[in-house]
Amino acid sequence: VIMAALGARLERKKKMKGKKKVKNLLDKKAKGLKLNQVDRKRIMKLEEKKKFKDELNASVKAEMSKLRLTEDENVDETINIDPTSPSPFPEKAKDKRVSFSGNMERVKVFDKNVKDLKIKPSSASPGKGILRAIPKKVSPKKKKKKSEMQTSQSEVISEDPSATIDSSAEKENVEEKTEKLEKPKKKKITIQVTKKVKEQLLTMDRKQRKAFLRELKAQKNPNHDRAMECKLLWEKIRSKKTPKQERDEHVSKLFGLVKGFASKLIYTHDISRVFECLLAQKRPGITSALFEELTPELVRMTKSKYAHFFVLRMLKYGTKDQRDTIINSFRGHAVSLMRIVYAAEVLEVAYNEYANAQQRFDIVSEFYGKEFVLFRSDKPRTLEEIIAEEPTKKKLILQHLEEQLQTLVDKTTVRLSLCHRLLRDFASHCDPEQLTNLIDSLKDRIPEIVHTPDGSYVAMKCIWNANVKDRKLIVKNFKDLVVKVAMEHYGHRVLFALFDTIDDTVLVNKYITAELCHEMNKLIMDTWGEKVIHYIVHPRDGRGMPRDEIELLREGDSNPFSKKEKKDRYAEIYRNICESLYSYLASNMEPLIFEHNRSKFVAACLETTSSYDLFDRQVPAEMRQKCNEALAQIAKQEFVPMDNERLHLIEHLAGNFVLMAVLRCDNSLPEDQRLSVAIVNTLSKEELGSWICCNKGCHVLLKMLHCGSIAVKEKVKEAVNMKQLREYTFRGATLLVDALSK
């Protein structure tokens, strides 16, 4: 038993020997280990705490250094005294010698032998100590009046002739201080509930208690009763049971209650909905009146948690002039609005959906510097044009942009397209050091910015210029989001950049292509998802993507961190996706061709390697045979020329395209992988011979004769009825007759 226990311990030690010991989650992240969603959230909290501690320590150090400097400055001036001159200070008197021997006679000494000593209890009140001093009542200092303060200040200035401060500046400071003192502070109305009030509440019934509490709230909020009436009317207006006439009356009454008090009522969570209800009624008079009343409050409302919904409604339902008023009111406040989450949403909607080119430039240019706010340009320009006209401003603009982006990247505002525009401007013109700082701040949030054209470009730029360690982190952050990104209009480009640049194909296959394999049907049915699969099969193929995208991807070819050759990288990624792709094609060949219009995709997947391919792409033999069998089974269906229900494979436009494209590749394939062999072996002579009735069928047979083996040619000749074929006059029949007669 002892030996068995020792053996088990040794085995445990061996198992634990190879494991990486990690102290905390931050070390785990630094070593590049796998992190789940909970770990990521904890790491974010730990990093925030660490950042806060560092900032706190830095601020404390700065304050301490300031205090030391002030102490050094406040050191008393040294006074040089001439020894010959008489001293200005009087000589110190000598200390007197004091003797207490005379008083010692009066002191009583108690000896232990004394027996008649009587001890009485003290009559002093408990809690009072002999050494405790009685506190003196301090009279409250009276505030000096403005005139007294001015006179006292002037006296001090006149008494000190060596003062170097100007009297005018001193007077201004005094006036400012007195103005601050004179401003009355707003008294907060506090509701104190005493014990008696609580006892009264307990004795009250529900209605009385509600009324009493309403009175208490009314003391704090003077518009409480008005707000309650508004809510009651709002409930009647929004009810479907209310007749139209009553609803109109309630709307007019509600507007009468709100008018003149809109700026005080709109900031609460409940009354803000009342205003939205009034806008939803689409009464031009009410909408315009409310808008005119609330126009001075637009910026403040945009920053409010509840009132910003009114601004959004006005952008949606308002007139063009009202929208322009809202957008123009943001002039000079765009930077501050972007820092608040609620306001950033309003600014995003205004920028994306309603602003014209000039207004968009006004919003974006505020982030370039204060100069662009003060001196407005009437002509909208891009950052490239601004830098080309004034190259000296480039450094200042980028510095200002970097400062603003640091605050935006850490918040949810990083998902907004306006933020993506600013990120693109910065990433396109910054130096390498600034770009590395940007990558450090964005590497954890790349999947959040890929849904816009500017955001996808920034993500690609980060992937191209990130080092190996950062690239691993970027790839891992795409976990569980790959399919969604692949189906994005602009997000799928980011996956192209990953396939092009990352040398660690094992990591890519684990986190990217593995998820793509599981959702093959969803991807192929989607326009953008199909492009991703097509890119893995045919990278940078002009048939599947426009030239602009190919040129965009070429920007990342010169990055210094990709060492592996492209053909090896593409081949390893393609090899991982082969099984799931071709098994899906074989089992869904008919719907892909006839229903979903994916004939080009099917043909591209079954093609052999051409001179345009960037790597030697080989379809596995088993998979190709399965696909050929699937096509042969579709071709085996009864051929009815010009069938109304559905055209046959050889007559169907997409089906004929796939057949001809795959048959064209038979010359470069072994005999067991050829489609012509599969068709000849699957179809009978009668079924094969019936194809001569149509022009496209004759062309298919002609292609089989040109590309097929000797056995295929013999079977085609046996199947074709030459007498019947010579009766047809269309082009395919004449060509087939010529080929068979040779």
Side-chain angles (χ1 to χ4, degrees), residues 34-224:
K34 187 177 179 181
L35 298 171
N36 55 22
Q37 197 170 4
V38 178
D39 290 343
R40 289 176 199 157
K41 289 181 180 178
R42 287 178 181 171
I43 284 169
M44 286 176 70
K45 289 180 180 177
L46 288 170
E47 287 176 348
E48 287 175 0
K49 285 182 181 178
K50 190 178 178 183
K51 187 178 178 182
F52 176 74
K53 285 181 180 178
D54 294 338
E55 289 176 356
L56 187 65
N57 292 332
S59 61
V60 169
K61 287 179 182 178
E63 289 294 329
M64 292 294 290
S65 61
K66 285 180 183 178
L67 287 170
R68 286 170 189 164
L69 288 170
T70 52
E71 285 175 3
D72 294 336
E73 289 173 0
N74 294 333
V75 174
D76 295 337
E77 293 180 0
T78 56
I79 302 169
N80 296 322
I81 300 170
D82 191 5
T84 57
S85 62
S87 64
F89 303 106
E91 291 184 2
K92 191 176 180 181
K94 292 181 180 180
D95 295 336
K96 291 182 179 181
R97 296 183 69 185
V98 182
S99 176
F100 296 97
S101 58
N103 297 330
M104 288 295 289
E105 294 176 359
R106 299 177 186 177
V107 178
K108 292 183 179 180
V109 179
F110 295 98
D111 193 7
K112 291 180 182 180
N113 298 324
V114 179
K115 295 179 181 179
D116 297 332
L117 183 65
K118 293 180 181 180
I119 300 169
K120 294 180 180 180
S122 175
S123 60
S125 61
K128 290 186 178 180
I130 298 167
L131 299 175
R132 187 177 294 172
I134 300 167
K136 294 180 181 179
K137 290 183 180 179
V138 181
S139 59
K141 292 181 180 179
K142 294 181 181 178
K143 290 185 180 179
K144 292 184 179 181
K145 293 181 181 178
K146 186 176 178 181
S147 59
E148 291 177 6
M149 287 182 71
Q150 286 179 354
T151 52
S152 61
Q153 290 287 341
S154 60
E155 285 173 6
V156 171
I157 292 164
S158 61
E159 284 174 5
D160 189 6
S162 62
T164 58
I165 302 168
D166 295 339
S167 61
S168 60
E170 192 69 27
K171 285 178 183 178
E172 287 177 4
N173 293 333
V174 171
E175 287 175 3
E176 286 177 4
K177 289 178 183 177
T178 51
E179 283 176 3
K180 287 179 183 178
L181 289 170
E182 282 179 354
K183 285 182 181 178
K185 292 182 180 179
K186 292 182 180 179
K187 292 182 180 180
K188 291 185 178 179
I189 302 167
T190 55
I191 300 168
Q192 293 181 354
V193 182
T194 59
K195 190 176 180 181
K196 289 182 180 180
V197 173
K198 288 180 181 178
E199 289 174 357
Q200 287 178 5
L201 286 169
L202 290 170
T203 56
M204 293 177 186
D205 59 358
R206 189 180 176 186
K207 287 184 179 179
Q208 291 174 345
R209 199 181 297 121
K210 270 191 173 183
F212 184 77
L213 291 172
R214 199 178 292 118
E215 288 177 5
L216 287 176
K217 286 180 181 178
Q219 290 178 15
K220 190 174 182 181
N221 183 12
N223 296 315
H224 180 261

Side-chain angles (χ1 to χ4, degrees), residues 19-32:
K19 290 187 178 180
K20 293 182 180 179
K21 293 182 180 179
V22 181
K23 292 181 181 179
N24 52 26
L25 289 172
L26 293 173
D27 292 345
K28 192 174 181 181
K29 183 184 176 184
K31 290 181 179 179

Side-chain angles (χ1 to χ4, degrees), residues 342-509:
Y342 314 114
E345 292 176 5
V346 180
L347 193 65
E348 170 77 2
V349 172
Y351 175 81
N352 263 338
E353 298 179 16
Y354 304 109
N356 55 34
Q358 180 63 45
Q359 289 168 342
R360 287 186 180 187
F361 173 71
D362 291 342
I363 292 169
V364 172
S365 61
E366 287 189 32
F367 294 89
Y368 298 159
K370 293 181 180 178
E371 179 186 346
F372 293 89
V373 181
L374 297 172
F375 306 102
R376 185 184 176 188
S377 175
D378 295 332
K379 182 183 176 183
R381 297 175 294 170
T382 60
L383 185 58
E384 293 177 359
E385 293 173 353
I386 293 169
I387 292 170
E389 290 176 7
E390 299 175 355
T392 55
K393 291 183 179 179
K394 180 181 177 180
K395 190 176 179 181
L396 292 172
I397 290 170
L398 291 176
Q399 282 179 357
H400 201 272
L401 253 179
E402 189 175 14
E403 289 174 7
Q404 302 304 327
L405 288 172
Q406 282 175 357
T407 58
L408 299 179
V409 165
D410 296 332
K411 300 178 182 178
T412 54
T413 48
V414 76
R415 300 173 187 172
L416 304 179
S417 62
L418 179 57
C419 183
H420 299 172
R421 166 71 188 276
L422 299 171
L423 285 169
R424 180 165 187 167
D425 286 344
F426 181 74
S428 301
H429 299 92
C430 65
D431 56 20
E433 187 179 351
Q434 289 174 327
L435 187 59
T436 52
N437 294 334
L438 181 66
I439 292 166
D440 287 336
S441 57
L442 279 177
K443 61 187 176 183
D444 292 326
R445 311 195 72 174
I446 293 292
E448 297 180 33
I449 64 172
V450 299
H451 56 277
T452 62
D454 296 329
S456 64
Y457 177 79
V458 173
M460 292 164 75
K461 192 96 173 172
C462 291
I463 291 165
W464 292 333
N465 295 281
N467 55 33
V468 177
K469 191 176 179 181
D470 290 340
R471 283 179 179 178
K472 284 184 179 180
L473 186 62
I474 290 168
V475 172
K476 288 177 181 178
N477 284 327
F478 277 99
K479 189 180 179 183
D480 301 330
L481 298 169
V482 178
V483 177
K484 190 177 180 182
V485 172
M487 294 167 69
E488 287 278 352
H489 187 179
Y490 303 103
H492 71 280
R493 297 177 185 174
V494 181
L495 296 181
F496 295 168
L498 289 174
F499 298 146
D500 286 347
T501 55
I502 294 178
D503 292 338
D504 191 356
T505 52
V506 176
L507 186 75
V508 174
N509 289 332

